[in-house]
Amino acid sequence: MSAHSQLTGAQPGFGNTVSHSHRRTSRRFDPNIQRKRYWLASEGRHVRLTLSARAIKTVDAIGIEAAVARIRARGEKV
């Protein structure tokens, strides 16, 4: 599963871990990605979305129909 949200487009950030001696090594800041299944009443089927925790709260606020419309507007397949 790729670490990106279908709704918000959140993806990993990159940076450095800095040790006590100030040596730097690469690291990744991954978003909190979850796979969640929603009932899409307009199409009479379930959809499984890969969403960040923040995007799940957005779906709760705007509804699944509006969220799927936004995902499709971004050009992603649902």
Side-chain angles (χ1 to χ4, degrees), residues 5-7 34-52 55-73 77-78:
S5 173
Q6 288 181 293
L7 181 59
Q34 312 289 326
R35 285 189 45 92
K36 194 142 168 68
R37 195 172 89 144
Y38 291 98
W39 174 251
L40 195 57
S42 64
E43 296 180 17
R45 68 184 182 106
H46 285 96
V47 291
R48 189 176 299 275
L49 301 176
T50 304
L51 302 170
S52 63
I56 291 172
K57 294 174 189 175
T58 302
V59 170
D60 291 343
I62 67 173
I64 187 60
E65 300 290 340
V68 167
R70 283 189 193 180
I71 292 169
R72 287 183 174 147
K77 188 178 173 189
V78 176

Side-chain angles (χ1 to χ4, degrees), residues 12-50:
F14 295 89
N16 292 307
T17 299
V18 182
S19 71
H20 179 70
S21 65
H22 217 61
R23 287 178 61 111
R24 294 184 171 122
T25 55
S26 246
R27 65 159 294 177
R28 226 169 105 129
F29 294 89
D30 284 325
N32 185 4
I33 297 294
Q34 312 289 326
R35 285 189 45 92
K36 194 142 168 68
R37 195 172 89 144
Y38 291 98
W39 174 251
L40 195 57
S42 64
E43 296 180 17
R45 68 184 182 106
H46 285 96
V47 291
R48 189 176 299 275
L49 301 176
T50 304

